[in-house]
Amino acid sequence: MELLFISLRTIFFYIVIIICYRLMGKREIAEFSISDVTISILIAQLVALGIEDNSVSLIAALIPIIILVILEITSAFIELKYNKTKGIIDGKPSLIIKKGK
């Protein structure tokens, strides 16, 4: 019975993660910025705790994930609206190749 419960929680969180990443608008790992990677790691850790710990209710496991998704969407909106914040939040890109060298 416990294996069934863990399996159902795993399927539930899989669907939640797919929905979260669709809401955040991320399609490929190559599009991730530093803040996106940080959010991904935090969400993965929260989901792992939600799946492993049966004493944590689904709502209690979902609230921090939803908060992180809202923060990420808000951050992306602010970056689009105000160009100066992009450098502050994501940093500036490094020049690897200049004039073929």
Side-chain angles (χ1 to χ4, degrees):
M1 189 67 177
E2 186 176 338
L3 288 176
L4 177 65
F5 188 66
I6 291 172
S7 299
L8 290 175
R9 284 177 79 105
T10 303
I11 293 167
F12 173 76
F13 279 114
Y14 175 77
I15 294 168
V16 167
I17 288 175
I18 296 295
I19 292 169
C20 288
Y21 279 106
R22 286 294 178 193
L23 287 174
M24 290 189 303
K26 305 303 176 216
R27 295 184 184 168
E28 297 178 13
I29 293 177
E31 296 176 359
F32 280 15
S33 64
I34 292 296
S35 62
D36 296 333
V37 171
T38 304
I39 294 292
S40 297
I41 292 170
L42 288 172
I43 288 175
Q45 183 64 32
L46 290 168
V47 167
L49 289 173
I51 291 172
E52 291 175 354
D53 193 358
N54 293 334
S55 65
V56 176
S57 70
L58 288 177
I59 299 297
L62 279 177
I63 290 173
I65 294 170
I66 291 170
I67 291 172
L68 287 173
V69 170
I70 290 170
L71 286 173
E72 180 65 22
I73 292 170
T74 304
S75 170
F77 178 76
I78 290 171
E79 286 179 17
L80 286 173
K81 192 82 169 161
Y82 307 103
N83 287 335
K84 292 181 180 180
T85 59
K86 186 169 180 83
I88 295 170
I89 295 173
D90 286 336
K92 297 183 181 179
S94 299
L95 188 62
I96 297 173
I97 298 173
K98 183 176 181 179
K99 297 183 181 179
K101 294 184 180 181

